[in-house]
Amino acid sequence: MSDVETGTVTTKVPARLDRLPWSRWHWMIVIGLGTVWILDGLEVTIVGNLSAQLAKPGSGLDITQAQVAGVAAALYVAGACTGALFFGWLTDRFGRKKLFIITLVVYLVATLLTAFSFSAWWFFLFRFMTGFGIGGEYAAINSAIDELIPSRHRGRIDIIINGSYWLGAAGGALLTVPLLNDLPVNIGWRVAFGLGVVLGLAILLVRRHVPESPRWLFIHGKDREAERLVDDIEEQIGKHDLREPEQSITIHQRKSIGFVRIAHTMVALYPKRTVLGLSLFIGQAFLYNAITFGYAQILSTFFKIDTHTGYYFAVIAVGNFLGPLLLGHLFDTVGRVPMISATYIGSGVLLLGTAWLFNEGLLTAVTLTACWSVVLFVASAGASSAYLTVSEIFPMETRAMAIAFFFAVGTAAGGIAGPLVFSSLVESGVPGDTALAFSIGGIIMIAAGLVEVFLGVKAERKGLEDIAAPLSTAPATT
């Protein structure tokens, strides 16, 4: 049924959604959908800070710290890339709501089974499956958020939501401290994974009330349902205070879009935007997946800290969240291109400085953490903007698949190769090797920032349909 036209409809749904004032209804969207990044941050941080504990005799697993920071981390990211592509395709075909429920259930089951790991292979398998669910979340959630949030708030909200990953990271880091120090070695790490399940269940209860994207509905032949849904939203917010928008759009409705059409859109219609998306994702993936997965390993190897790593990581996580929180509004006011390029290039330069200080032996565990907090304060806003960029610069019919594609390719490049290579560099115990890992991440971030300078898209305060017209757009009838 791919690319089969089912009808033509003229609608004002996009304009009606974009002119809505901020309300409690939008907060429900943010809480119900945005909290996925808290889960991801919790997952990555718990495993990173548990790496030394999992490798201890009596943990219940025959596994090394390098395997946790390297193989398990790479499998988690591989699962996320696979899940993003698989669920991204389903999201564009069957809708946002069905998939952001299914992917959360996949995460919950996989995390629960990770807590019952009895051998290394079981742990590796369900780290992959946990990532599989989280990767699917990225495609479904980013699509829904951008299509439901008014255009004038989209940049700030998207960046802050993506930055909320670090709230989960801070929570995960602090949780591991009492779990590692107050519980038996074979129990604490299992309880840590169980807490992720509890949080996921709470999110699932809120998410049930989040509606389908009206934009997805009217393109897929469900225009009456889309209109009713927007009517309900306007009633909740206060319809009598809203002025009827003049702008409308005419759509040739389709059940689904084929892979050939999606590929043609990226390669032929928007080649520069495709290069831009890949550059931003690869840059942030190398910086984050390669370095933060192994931060506990760095503390353990160079500073002999293995049970209180959570305190250090929590400080870094706070800096990471404050970046999007305090800088996010500038992406809607100063603009996408200057802010994205500045945060990428700036964080890369700061990271190179940190690499030099580390190689010279001038840093302690405390001062290294301080340096990383400054670097990631800047980098976090830039990394969050990568998701914002690819979710708004491609046509609506391909949005989830575009997010999935760039996430999978970029994260595979930086998030699979990075942990495997960099965990080996850190394991050598030679400061110069770890400094090299820092330098690689910094240089790739700078390169991505330069790509943004030349290929960036001015998308601030514009409707999604103005940035990239839907593939199904038809000339408006009079």
PDB file of all heavy atoms in Angstrom, residues 18 44 75 93 101 105 156 189 270 310 342 417-418 425 432 445 456 462 469:
ATOM      1  N   ASP A  18       0.140  25.236  15.914  1.00  0.00           N
ATOM      2  CA  ASP A  18       1.256  26.162  16.122  1.00  0.00           C
ATOM      3  C   ASP A  18       0.833  27.452  16.818  1.00  0.00           C
ATOM      4  O   ASP A  18       1.654  28.111  17.459  1.00  0.00           O
ATOM      5  CB  ASP A  18       1.919  26.496  14.777  1.00  0.00           C
ATOM      6  CG  ASP A  18       2.863  25.396  14.307  1.00  0.00           C
ATOM      7  OD1 ASP A  18       3.317  24.610  15.156  1.00  0.00           O
ATOM      8  OD2 ASP A  18       3.131  25.321  13.093  1.00  0.00           O
ATOM      9  N   VAL A  44      22.298   4.222  31.139  1.00  0.00           N
ATOM     10  CA  VAL A  44      23.705   4.356  30.786  1.00  0.00           C
ATOM     11  C   VAL A  44      24.552   4.616  32.020  1.00  0.00           C
ATOM     12  O   VAL A  44      25.627   4.035  32.201  1.00  0.00           O
ATOM     13  CB  VAL A  44      23.890   5.479  29.752  1.00  0.00           C
ATOM     14  CG1 VAL A  44      25.371   5.749  29.512  1.00  0.00           C
ATOM     15  CG2 VAL A  44      23.215   5.099  28.443  1.00  0.00           C
ATOM     16  N   LEU A  75      26.964  -3.110  22.810  1.00  0.00           N
ATOM     17  CA  LEU A  75      25.749  -3.864  22.496  1.00  0.00           C
ATOM     18  C   LEU A  75      24.494  -3.055  22.816  1.00  0.00           C
ATOM     19  O   LEU A  75      23.495  -3.120  22.090  1.00  0.00           O
ATOM     20  CB  LEU A  75      25.736  -5.183  23.268  1.00  0.00           C
ATOM     21  CG  LEU A  75      26.663  -6.273  22.724  1.00  0.00           C
ATOM     22  CD1 LEU A  75      26.720  -7.452  23.681  1.00  0.00           C
ATOM     23  CD2 LEU A  75      26.206  -6.733  21.344  1.00  0.00           C
ATOM     24  N   ARG A  93       4.582   4.383   9.767  1.00  0.00           N
ATOM     25  CA  ARG A  93       3.531   3.592   9.128  1.00  0.00           C
ATOM     26  C   ARG A  93       2.269   3.475   9.985  1.00  0.00           C
ATOM     27  O   ARG A  93       1.146   3.594   9.480  1.00  0.00           O
ATOM     28  CB  ARG A  93       4.061   2.190   8.809  1.00  0.00           C
ATOM     29  CG  ARG A  93       3.084   1.330   7.997  1.00  0.00           C
ATOM     30  CD  ARG A  93       3.710  -0.008   7.645  1.00  0.00           C
ATOM     31  NE  ARG A  93       2.802  -0.829   6.866  1.00  0.00           N
ATOM     32  CZ  ARG A  93       2.669  -0.802   5.545  1.00  0.00           C
ATOM     33  NH1 ARG A  93       3.421   0.039   4.855  1.00  0.00           N
ATOM     34  NH2 ARG A  93       1.820  -1.578   4.915  1.00  0.00           N
ATOM     35  N   ILE A 101       4.093   3.516  23.077  1.00  0.00           N
ATOM     36  CA  ILE A 101       3.664   2.590  24.131  1.00  0.00           C
ATOM     37  C   ILE A 101       4.433   1.267  24.017  1.00  0.00           C
ATOM     38  O   ILE A 101       4.975   0.748  24.998  1.00  0.00           O
ATOM     39  CB  ILE A 101       2.145   2.316  24.036  1.00  0.00           C
ATOM     40  CG1 ILE A 101       1.343   3.599  24.292  1.00  0.00           C
ATOM     41  CG2 ILE A 101       1.732   1.218  25.009  1.00  0.00           C
ATOM     42  CD1 ILE A 101       1.466   4.156  25.685  1.00  0.00           C
ATOM     43  N   VAL A 105       7.267  -0.621  26.672  1.00  0.00           N
ATOM     44  CA  VAL A 105       7.064  -1.968  27.206  1.00  0.00           C
ATOM     45  C   VAL A 105       8.293  -2.841  26.933  1.00  0.00           C
ATOM     46  O   VAL A 105       8.734  -3.609  27.797  1.00  0.00           O
ATOM     47  CB  VAL A 105       5.792  -2.604  26.607  1.00  0.00           C
ATOM     48  CG1 VAL A 105       5.696  -4.071  26.995  1.00  0.00           C
ATOM     49  CG2 VAL A 105       4.554  -1.858  27.079  1.00  0.00           C
ATOM     50  N   ARG A 156      13.352  25.332  22.157  1.00  0.00           N
ATOM     51  CA  ARG A 156      13.670  25.296  23.585  1.00  0.00           C
ATOM     52  C   ARG A 156      13.165  24.019  24.241  1.00  0.00           C
ATOM     53  O   ARG A 156      13.909  23.353  24.981  1.00  0.00           O
ATOM     54  CB  ARG A 156      13.055  26.514  24.280  1.00  0.00           C
ATOM     55  CG  ARG A 156      13.222  26.502  25.787  1.00  0.00           C
ATOM     56  CD  ARG A 156      12.684  27.770  26.407  1.00  0.00           C
ATOM     57  NE  ARG A 156      11.285  27.997  26.035  1.00  0.00           N
ATOM     58  CZ  ARG A 156      10.605  29.099  26.388  1.00  0.00           C
ATOM     59  NH1 ARG A 156      11.200  30.051  27.065  1.00  0.00           N
ATOM     60  NH2 ARG A 156       9.343  29.225  26.039  1.00  0.00           N
ATOM     61  N   TRP A 189      23.514  -4.172  42.397  1.00  0.00           N
ATOM     62  CA  TRP A 189      23.355  -3.844  40.970  1.00  0.00           C
ATOM     63  C   TRP A 189      22.016  -4.324  40.430  1.00  0.00           C
ATOM     64  O   TRP A 189      21.439  -3.714  39.523  1.00  0.00           O
ATOM     65  CB  TRP A 189      24.525  -4.413  40.161  1.00  0.00           C
ATOM     66  CG  TRP A 189      24.647  -5.911  40.110  1.00  0.00           C
ATOM     67  CD1 TRP A 189      25.364  -6.701  40.959  1.00  0.00           C
ATOM     68  CD2 TRP A 189      24.043  -6.786  39.150  1.00  0.00           C
ATOM     69  NE1 TRP A 189      25.245  -8.020  40.596  1.00  0.00           N
ATOM     70  CE2 TRP A 189      24.449  -8.102  39.478  1.00  0.00           C
ATOM     71  CE3 TRP A 189      23.212  -6.597  38.051  1.00  0.00           C
ATOM     72  CZ2 TRP A 189      24.042  -9.210  38.750  1.00  0.00           C
ATOM     73  CZ3 TRP A 189      22.807  -7.704  37.308  1.00  0.00           C
ATOM     74  CH2 TRP A 189      23.213  -8.990  37.672  1.00  0.00           C
ATOM     75  N   TYR A 270      17.132  16.488  -0.364  1.00  0.00           N
ATOM     76  CA  TYR A 270      17.798  17.209   0.719  1.00  0.00           C
ATOM     77  C   TYR A 270      19.198  16.651   1.009  1.00  0.00           C
ATOM     78  O   TYR A 270      19.502  16.267   2.136  1.00  0.00           O
ATOM     79  CB  TYR A 270      16.953  17.147   1.992  1.00  0.00           C
ATOM     80  CG  TYR A 270      15.594  17.795   1.866  1.00  0.00           C
ATOM     81  CD1 TYR A 270      14.439  17.024   1.769  1.00  0.00           C
ATOM     82  CD2 TYR A 270      15.464  19.187   1.872  1.00  0.00           C
ATOM     83  CE1 TYR A 270      13.187  17.624   1.674  1.00  0.00           C
ATOM     84  CE2 TYR A 270      14.216  19.791   1.781  1.00  0.00           C
ATOM     85  CZ  TYR A 270      13.086  19.003   1.677  1.00  0.00           C
ATOM     86  OH  TYR A 270      11.852  19.598   1.584  1.00  0.00           O
ATOM     87  N   GLY A 310      29.617   7.517  41.609  1.00  0.00           N
ATOM     88  CA  GLY A 310      28.338   8.180  41.388  1.00  0.00           C
ATOM     89  C   GLY A 310      28.350   9.644  41.766  1.00  0.00           C
ATOM     90  O   GLY A 310      27.701  10.473  41.108  1.00  0.00           O
ATOM     91  N   ALA A 342      28.176  27.207  17.604  1.00  0.00           N
ATOM     92  CA  ALA A 342      28.941  27.677  18.759  1.00  0.00           C
ATOM     93  C   ALA A 342      29.083  26.604  19.829  1.00  0.00           C
ATOM     94  O   ALA A 342      30.156  26.439  20.424  1.00  0.00           O
ATOM     95  CB  ALA A 342      28.278  28.920  19.345  1.00  0.00           C
ATOM     96  N   ALA A 417      31.827   1.981  17.922  1.00  0.00           N
ATOM     97  CA  ALA A 417      33.286   1.986  17.789  1.00  0.00           C
ATOM     98  C   ALA A 417      33.936   2.708  18.966  1.00  0.00           C
ATOM     99  O   ALA A 417      34.963   2.264  19.492  1.00  0.00           O
ATOM    100  CB  ALA A 417      33.673   2.658  16.473  1.00  0.00           C
ATOM    101  N   GLY A 418      33.323   3.809  19.401  1.00  0.00           N
ATOM    102  CA  GLY A 418      33.907   4.605  20.470  1.00  0.00           C
ATOM    103  C   GLY A 418      34.159   3.843  21.763  1.00  0.00           C
ATOM    104  O   GLY A 418      35.298   3.779  22.230  1.00  0.00           O
ATOM    105  N   LEU A 425      41.831   2.061  25.300  1.00  0.00           N
ATOM    106  CA  LEU A 425      42.799   3.130  25.561  1.00  0.00           C
ATOM    107  C   LEU A 425      42.897   3.434  27.048  1.00  0.00           C
ATOM    108  O   LEU A 425      43.986   3.606  27.595  1.00  0.00           O
ATOM    109  CB  LEU A 425      42.397   4.392  24.787  1.00  0.00           C
ATOM    110  CG  LEU A 425      42.549   4.353  23.269  1.00  0.00           C
ATOM    111  CD1 LEU A 425      41.958   5.609  22.640  1.00  0.00           C
ATOM    112  CD2 LEU A 425      44.012   4.194  22.862  1.00  0.00           C
ATOM    113  N   GLY A 432      48.460   9.359  28.275  1.00  0.00           N
ATOM    114  CA  GLY A 432      48.449   9.811  26.889  1.00  0.00           C
ATOM    115  C   GLY A 432      47.398   9.114  26.048  1.00  0.00           C
ATOM    116  O   GLY A 432      46.821   9.715  25.131  1.00  0.00           O
ATOM    117  N   MET A 445      33.806  16.854  17.216  1.00  0.00           N
ATOM    118  CA  MET A 445      32.786  17.860  17.559  1.00  0.00           C
ATOM    119  C   MET A 445      33.037  19.177  16.818  1.00  0.00           C
ATOM    120  O   MET A 445      32.113  19.806  16.296  1.00  0.00           O
ATOM    121  CB  MET A 445      32.772  18.113  19.066  1.00  0.00           C
ATOM    122  CG  MET A 445      32.023  17.081  19.868  1.00  0.00           C
ATOM    123  SD  MET A 445      30.227  17.103  19.601  1.00  0.00           S
ATOM    124  CE  MET A 445      29.714  18.466  20.633  1.00  0.00           C
ATOM    125  N   GLY A 456      23.860  24.653   7.910  1.00  0.00           N
ATOM    126  CA  GLY A 456      22.771  24.753   8.879  1.00  0.00           C
ATOM    127  C   GLY A 456      21.495  25.360   8.291  1.00  0.00           C
ATOM    128  O   GLY A 456      21.540  26.144   7.338  1.00  0.00           O
ATOM    129  N   LYS A 462       9.660  28.657  12.949  1.00  0.00           N
ATOM    130  CA  LYS A 462       8.945  28.340  11.713  1.00  0.00           C
ATOM    131  C   LYS A 462       8.121  27.076  11.897  1.00  0.00           C
ATOM    132  O   LYS A 462       8.516  26.161  12.627  1.00  0.00           O
ATOM    133  CB  LYS A 462       9.935  28.131  10.560  1.00  0.00           C
ATOM    134  CG  LYS A 462      10.678  29.381  10.118  1.00  0.00           C
ATOM    135  CD  LYS A 462      11.580  29.068   8.928  1.00  0.00           C
ATOM    136  CE  LYS A 462      12.327  30.315   8.453  1.00  0.00           C
ATOM    137  NZ  LYS A 462      13.209  30.005   7.296  1.00  0.00           N
ATOM    138  N   ALA A 469       8.181  21.007   3.301  1.00  0.00           N
ATOM    139  CA  ALA A 469       6.800  20.709   2.922  1.00  0.00           C
ATOM    140  C   ALA A 469       6.566  19.204   2.897  1.00  0.00           C
ATOM    141  O   ALA A 469       7.435  18.442   2.452  1.00  0.00           O
ATOM    142  CB  ALA A 469       6.488  21.297   1.548  1.00  0.00           C
TER     143      ALA A 469
END
